[in-house]
DNA sequence: TTAACGTTTGTCCAAACGGTCAAAAAATTG
DNA sequence: CAATTTTTTGACCGTTTGGACAAACGTTAA
């Protein structure tokens, strides 16, 4: 006889569940699922543990709720890539959007990275399903652009992977990036620098004759 | 009165410590530090928990020993980048080496990624010290190549970050890569495909006039 | 043989953990 | 107001965890 999954009914429930999810994001992102305790999340949300468990039946329920939402937000930029648009512009704004997400939602990125690193036990089906479908579709679009000579020919799947890897790097490996860049180059401008560099990498032309 | 850190003295100690480190790598890489238990590591190493704790005083000692060793192996490819060599060749073999490491030592890569993701509490000083020094040195080399017109001009630090991000992606996000590529494209050839793609990305010339 | 030393294990412990529950407190409704 | 429902909490429970420890076992060498 399982307890039913809590659906928010009252105003308080909506608010408190949001509060808990925000706290969960903070805690999960910095310690991973196993490394986070319900007590930590409760404290971050400013309530007692039993109180928290009144809104979410289990620790896992908080986590899965978070990651489900996250996937949507995470795929949105790729979804917006428009076949009818100008290829260079489309790629450029995709990179921009991804870098902005790394800058503005690093916790979400880290939470996601954490899950994948551990073998994605909770979202494996989403990767093989929804994600693969979307990527295959957009890879076909990119391949079309390449065939039309609008983009240098290469493997579209690995092209997408490379954009993911480089942009998310600035969220997931932020400590390392800042440590290496140092206080001067590692300031707030690092995301702008990264965006410019990545545009050049993925779109820029090379020196002629080299 | 702390117990002294165990230094291997006998032949058995050397062997068993290696066995434990191998087991620890396996377990830590798939569950993270907090997610791994001493019992799991002991079982993976084929011994009892108290026996394991005879060779390493604490769980943390296993972890730090692993990560210390790892840093060395991890930086080696960058160290080998030779200012006197041909720029394109040097970059190409750096990428090759990094992709090979992602293919042959994915557990090491994941262990490292896990540590950075959690804020690198145990190796922050190494990042700001040894790592930064090395990267600054090699960034200067790359900048020299760029100034000499041997490489397209861009930010050398971000250039290195991009190589790290893209190559390690194939180890750290392996589940995702395989899920998206599917059974056909996601086979063993994916690393070779990745290497070719990345060489083109970092070194290839673009279509003229685009 | 025996003393010394290195190795292994069963047993135990205190703390931390996820989660339960009854009952109090607060808010809502009639 | 009183009745009802929702929200909050202190106390508690069973389990897991990292680690301690003494006793047993194995090996070597005087």
């Amino acid at each position: 006889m399982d307890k039913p999954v809590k659906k928010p009914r009252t105003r308080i429930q909506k608010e408190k569940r949001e509060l808990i999810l925000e706290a969960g994001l903070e805690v999960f992102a910095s310690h991973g699922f196993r490394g986070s305790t319900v007590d930590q999340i409760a404290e971050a949300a400013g309530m007692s543990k039993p109180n928290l468990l009144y809104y979410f039946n289990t620790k896992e329920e908080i986590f899965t709720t978070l990651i489900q939402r996250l996937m949507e937000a995470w795929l949105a930029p790729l979804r917006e890539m428009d076949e009818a648009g100008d290829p260079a512009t489309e790629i450029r704004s995709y990179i921009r959007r991804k870098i902005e997400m790394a800058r503005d939602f690093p916790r979400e990125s880290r939470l996601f990275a954490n899950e994948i690193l551990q073998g994605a036990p909770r979202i494996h089906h989403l990767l093989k399903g929804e994600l693969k479908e979307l990527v295959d579709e957009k890879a076909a679009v990119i391949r079309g652009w390449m065939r039309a000579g609008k983009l240098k020919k290469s493997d579209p799947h690995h092209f997408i992977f490379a954009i993911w890897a480089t942009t998310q790097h600035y969220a997931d490996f932020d400590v390392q990036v800042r440590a290496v860049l140092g206080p001067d180059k590692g300031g707030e401008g690092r995301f702008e620098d990264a965006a410019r560099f990545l545009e050049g990498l993925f779109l820029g032309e090379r020196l002629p004759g080299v």
Side-chain angles (χ1 to χ4, degrees), chain A:
Chain A
M1 189 87 156
D2 290 337
K3 285 186 182 174
V5 172
K6 301 280 168 66
K7 285 267 164 92
R9 297 174 201 293
T10 72
R11 174 189 52 87
I12 290 187
Q13 280 178 20
K14 251 196 255 303
E15 289 172 4
K16 291 290 166 94
R17 280 178 64 100
E18 283 312 311
L19 203 67
I20 292 168
L21 288 174
E22 158 64 25
L25 176 61
E26 181 70 26
V27 176
F28 282 136
S30 36
H31 303 102
F33 181 76
R34 282 287 313 263
S36 305
T37 72
V38 178
D39 271 313
Q40 277 173 41
I41 303 174
E43 198 196 324
M47 63 181 73
S48 67
K49 179 170 67 167
N51 196 190
L52 181 150
L53 289 168
Y54 167 73
Y55 292 103
F56 287 90
N57 291 318
T58 65
K59 174 181 164 184
E60 180 128 8
E61 207 175 291
I62 306 175
F63 191 86
T64 48
T65 305
L66 269 173
I67 230 167
Q68 220 105 27
R69 283 198 190 183
L70 226 144
M71 274 297 277
E72 292 311 304
W74 221 237
L75 296 182
L78 186 55
R79 281 226 166 79
E80 288 172 30
M81 204 166 80
D82 181 12
E83 179 160 21
D86 169 62
T89 309
E90 290 298 315
I91 300 288
R92 191 178 349 261
S93 49
Y94 181 50
I95 293 170
R96 281 272 162 192
R97 247 178 289 237
K98 289 289 283 180
I99 275 283
E100 278 162 18
M101 288 185 76
R103 184 192 60 199
D104 300 336
F105 308 103
R107 298 175 307 174
E108 283 83 348
S109 184
R110 269 175 230 141
L111 186 70
F112 188 73
N114 231 308
E115 174 68 6
I116 305 280
L117 257 180
Q118 323 260 314
R122 285 162 252 266
I123 55 166
H124 197 225
H125 62 286
L126 288 178
L127 302 184
K128 289 201 302 186
E130 201 176 352
L131 178 64
K132 175 172 166 48
E133 267 180 52
L134 177 63
V135 172
D136 283 345
E137 177 196 325
K138 296 304 181 180
V141 170
I142 292 174
R143 185 176 293 110
W145 289 341
M146 288 172 176
R147 289 217 170 106
K150 305 280 196 173
L151 228 52
K152 179 182 183 258
K153 283 200 172 99
S154 66
D155 185 311
H157 283 94
H158 290 280
F159 186 79
I160 292 174
F161 289 158
I163 294 180
W164 287 352
T166 48
T167 53
Q168 289 173 18
H169 186 80
Y170 291 93
D172 302 343
F173 287 70
D174 185 52
V175 242
Q176 180 177 266
V177 166
R178 275 185 293 122
V180 168
L181 289 183
D184 34 327
K185 283 192 63 183
E188 279 310 311
R190 67 189 187 278
F191 291 100
E192 196 46 47
D193 293 346
R196 256 195 303 273
F197 169 81
L198 292 176
E199 284 176 20
L201 179 66
F202 289 106
L203 294 168
E205 68 289 353
R206 303 284 146 162
L207 281 185
V210 174

